[in-house]
Amino acid sequence: LDLSGSRVTALPSEFFREMISLEELIFGNCSNLQQLPTSLAKLSSLLIFHVEGTQISSFPEDTFEAMQRLHTLKLINNKLLMSLPRSLSKAKDLKELHIYHCTSLRLEFLWELITSLEDLYIQAWEALENIKIHGHPNLRTFSLSGPWIKCLSLCRCSKLKIVNFGSDLTALEDVDLSGTAIEEVPHNLLNQPKLRMLLLLYVPCFKRFPWHQLDRFPKVFYLDNC
């Protein structure tokens, strides 16, 4: 069901009640949409949920209770969205989480709740300065972009192999990739203008360091047991 471009401000509370077989739901550039119906919680077969360009500030608390099969959640350019419900932890099959330009969003404790997550994409998230995801058991891909982020710690995410950094991480100061499965550090991370600390301890899969693309070292640099 693709409702992209709709001018609707709200849907009837029971709108999705009989759509138990729905697998993909897209709200693309629904610029007038202010709230989502409570019957979202009935979508037990949903696989892909895409919400973009809306005015919603929150989801109904039990939205994700029955979404056991949901594997992709995309939240793009929802600038008034302030929080996600704790029921997101019920989406046990969630593999991809995309958060782009949701500048008011705050996600306390989200990393610990979503243990099945494999791919995480974060871009231009104004409320976010420090990201700490420690010991996540399944995270494999992490992509980050945004000029406000100062600290990133992915310590002990033992399956993490791919880390992508945007060119706009101009405030980034501290990065800890210890205990991950990365094989190489992206060169654009090393040359971020404010980077002062990079930790690479106990990274058993590490194969290559891009010395030839290095402009300067951070003040604190550990590369050990590789």
Side-chain angles (χ1 to χ4, degrees):
L1 178 61
D2 189 345
L3 298 173
S4 295
S6 171
R7 295 184 179 181
V8 67
T9 58
L11 294 170
S13 61
E14 297 298 314
F15 187 82
F16 295 107
R17 186 167 64 89
E18 303 295 336
M19 300 188 190
I20 58 174
S21 297
L22 189 67
E23 295 186 345
E24 186 169 352
L25 176 59
I26 301 173
F27 293 100
N29 294 312
C30 297
S31 57
N32 295 328
L33 185 63
Q34 297 178 9
Q35 64 182 45
L36 295 170
T38 55
S39 55
L40 275 173
K42 303 292 184 181
L43 300 180
S44 58
S45 299
L46 201 65
L47 302 175
I48 298 173
F49 191 14
H50 184 135
V51 182
E52 179 177 358
T54 70
Q55 295 186 41
I56 64 172
S57 59
S58 63
F59 287 79
E61 185 56 39
D62 61 349
T63 295
F64 301 97
E65 287 281 353
M67 294 185 186
Q68 300 292 316
R69 300 179 60 197
L70 185 71
H71 63 67
T72 300
L73 175 60
K74 295 184 177 182
L75 304 172
I76 301 172
N77 200 31
N78 301 292
K79 295 184 178 180
L80 300 181
L81 183 63
M82 298 183 66
S83 64
L84 289 177
R86 296 186 71 87
S87 63
L88 187 56
S89 64
K90 304 295 184 182
K92 298 298 185 182
D93 279 350
L94 189 65
K95 298 294 189 292
E96 293 188 25
L97 176 59
H98 301 247
I99 301 175
Y100 299 154
H101 298 283
C102 295
T103 53
S104 300
L105 188 59
R106 297 184 180 277
L107 293 181
E108 294 84 358
F109 311 114
L110 179 65
W111 323 123
E112 292 82 358
L113 291 174
I114 306 178
T115 56
S116 63
L117 197 65
E118 291 186 1
D119 303 302
L120 176 60
Y121 305 83
I122 298 177
Q123 181 179 15
W125 188 352
E126 189 172 359
L128 196 63
E129 290 187 357
N130 301 308
I131 300 175
K132 294 183 180 181
I133 308 174
H134 290 175
H136 196 292
N138 295 302
L139 190 65
R140 298 173 187 270
T141 302
F142 182 85
S143 300
L144 180 67
S145 179
W148 304 279
I149 298 165
K150 295 181 179 180
C151 174
L152 172 65
S153 179
L154 301 171
C155 186
R156 303 189 310 280
C157 294
S158 59
K159 292 186 179 180
L160 183 65
K161 285 192 171 184
I162 300 174
V163 182
N164 298 314
F165 293 95
S167 58
D168 61 346
L169 289 166
T170 52
L172 192 62
E173 297 177 355
D174 302 333
V175 177
D176 187 352
L177 299 175
S178 299
T180 64
I182 65 169
E183 296 182 354
E184 183 175 352
V185 176
H187 69 88
N188 62 335
L189 167 64
L190 294 168
N191 294 322
Q192 291 299 329
K194 292 187 177 180
L195 187 67
R196 65 183 185 184
M197 184 182 75
L198 175 60
L199 304 182
L200 292 163
L201 302 171
Y202 311 109
V203 187
C205 300
F206 203 75
K207 293 182 177 179
R208 189 168 73 128
F209 191 87
W211 305 104
H212 59 295
Q213 295 174 308
L214 187 68
D215 292 336
R216 64 173 182 84
F217 270 120
K219 291 183 178 179
V220 179
F221 175 72
Y222 281 99
L223 177 64
D224 190 18
N225 197 37
C226 300

